[in-house]
Amino acid sequence: EYRIDPGRPVRVERVDVRRVGEAGQEPGMRALVERFPVRPGDVLEHRQYEKGRDALQDQAAEMGFFDARFTTREVRVDVKDQRADIVLHLASGRRYRFGELSFSQTPLDPELLRRFARFSPDEPYRASAVLALQKSLLNSGYFARADIAPRLEQARDGRMPVDVALDMVPRNRIDLGGGYGTDTGPRLSVGYRNRYLNSLGHTFQASAKLSLIWNQLDAIYAIPLNDPEKDQLALTSKLGLEDTVAGRAKVIRGGIRHGTTRWDLREILSLDYLRETFNIGLGNQTTDLLIPSVNY
């Protein structure tokens, strides 16, 4: 049987957290110091102290202060008086900047690849920008792998080169499908996609749906614009033939579509021309429509 008297807890009397060097002017570092999780008067809890200390170190690395180190890192405990002082001084050193961005050999134009980056040479380093580049490359549909390596050991005058190793996905993809419906009878679908037609990253995809009463062919030719991940121009076309007991119909549709991101929403502007010819009930008829569309 144990009887434990914890006594009065040790409380923090003084918190001296400083950053010395270029990091002293950075709002992100200043905010971490102001929000340090241990305050004078708090019960000393080592986990909270370590959380604040590690956050300062992580933020320094995120912002490119790779030479940052703690010149003083102490928790001074006076057991007799049950008080503690925290002294934490971070010398940040210089902030590194992005150097040359280079890509491994691929069929795509290096200029197209550079447009995926949200940073340019000589900008202050941000780890979040490197992760965003990797995410954009993988989301593009061109690459199966994108490994990004900042080369700190090759830095010159504070400019750090960044290497990107890429593995392409297969250029061509073919999809086949089949089924049966009570309204269509047997049906077949065939899809083809060329993920990179040329060095500019143009893509092409087509699909055909075949059945006893309805046959359809769709095609899309897409061109990446200034921001290849989010900004795209596409030419679309569709041909449809329907043959039922009630009559026959033919649909021809062609258009242009622009997709981008605006106000944190996906914006799609399109303009389509539609011609439909049919002979249901009243003989042969033709309808021509020009259809503008805005989608968010």
Side-chain angles (χ1 to χ4, degrees):
E1 180 178 345
Y2 294 91
R3 291 187 178 89
I4 300 174
D5 178 9
R8 292 190 298 117
V10 172
R11 292 190 176 273
V12 177
E13 184 172 276
R14 185 169 66 96
V15 178
D16 180 11
V17 180
R18 304 179 192 175
R19 64 261 184 244
V20 181
E22 293 183 24
Q25 308 303 318
E26 296 295 337
M29 297 294 290
R30 187 183 309 121
L32 283 178
V33 172
E34 293 171 354
R35 297 197 307 266
F36 196 78
V38 182
R39 299 285 187 178
D42 290 350
V43 172
L44 176 61
E45 186 177 346
H46 286 275
R47 182 172 56 183
Q48 290 297 101
Y49 158 74
E50 291 166 0
K51 177 182 175 182
R53 180 199 65 196
D54 293 346
L56 283 170
Q57 208 160 22
D58 292 345
Q59 182 70 6
E62 150 71 24
M63 299 178 67
F65 293 100
F66 296 116
D67 298 329
R69 62 185 181 88
F70 288 106
T71 55
T72 306
R73 186 176 62 178
E74 298 176 349
V75 179
R76 302 169 183 167
V77 180
D78 185 332
V79 179
K80 180 180 178 181
D81 293 338
Q82 294 176 312
R83 64 182 180 83
D85 294 337
I86 291 176
V87 183
L88 202 56
H89 296 170
L90 177 70
S92 66
R94 69 160 66 180
R95 184 176 186 181
Y96 285 81
R97 296 179 174 271
F98 286 110
E100 181 183 359
L101 179 64
S102 58
F103 296 87
S104 60
Q105 187 68 35
T106 72
L108 300 178
D109 189 332
E111 181 56 35
L112 170 67
L113 300 178
R114 278 191 283 271
R115 296 209 305 267
F116 281 98
R118 305 287 193 275
F119 59 85
S120 58
D122 235 24
E123 280 187 19
Y125 178 89
R126 290 170 290 117
S128 58
V130 173
L131 292 175
L133 171 59
Q134 183 182 47
K135 181 180 177 182
S136 296
L137 290 168
L138 293 175
N139 287 343
S140 69
Y142 298 130
F143 309 107
R145 180 180 68 93
D147 293 338
I148 304 178
R151 300 298 185 189
L152 181 60
E153 71 281 1
Q154 299 176 13
R156 296 292 182 271
D157 298 324
R159 300 175 76 252
M160 182 174 58
V162 178
D163 294 343
V164 184
L166 299 170
D167 284 343
M168 306 296 294
V169 296
R171 183 188 296 267
N172 300 304
R173 174 182 172 130
I174 296 177
D175 297 303
L176 298 173
Y180 181 88
T182 55
D183 55 344
T184 63
R187 57 179 182 239
L188 175 70
S189 65
V190 181
Y192 169 73
R193 179 181 176 90
N194 189 313
R195 293 185 172 100
Y196 40 98
L197 275 167
N198 52 35
S199 64
L200 300 178
H202 296 189
T203 63
F204 174 78
Q205 57 182 327
S207 63
K209 298 178 181 179
L210 310 173
S211 70
L212 296 178
I213 65 169
W214 174 252
N215 298 298
Q216 178 178 312
L217 177 64
D218 293 278
I220 300 176
Y221 188 97
I223 303 168
L225 300 178
N226 188 51
D227 184 340
E229 182 190 8
K230 301 177 181 179
D231 205 8
Q232 188 180 78
L233 184 70
L235 305 176
T236 64
S237 63
K238 174 181 177 180
L239 173 63
L241 301 172
E242 185 176 17
D243 189 355
T244 66
V245 176
R248 296 169 57 88
K250 180 171 72 172
V251 174
I252 299 175
R253 185 168 186 155
I256 186 169
R257 183 177 67 198
H258 177 251
T260 189
T261 298
R262 193 187 307 276
W263 309 309
D264 291 329
L265 297 173
R266 185 64 180 163
E267 175 188 272
I268 301 177
L269 308 178
S270 62
L271 182 65
D272 291 283
Y273 167 73
L274 173 67
R275 164 165 281 204
E276 186 171 5
T277 304
F278 52 93
N279 61 351
I280 300 175
L282 301 176
N284 291 330
Q285 300 180 67
T286 299
T287 300
D288 291 289
L289 298 172
L290 191 63
I291 307 171
S293 175
V294 180
N295 286 280
Y296 287 97

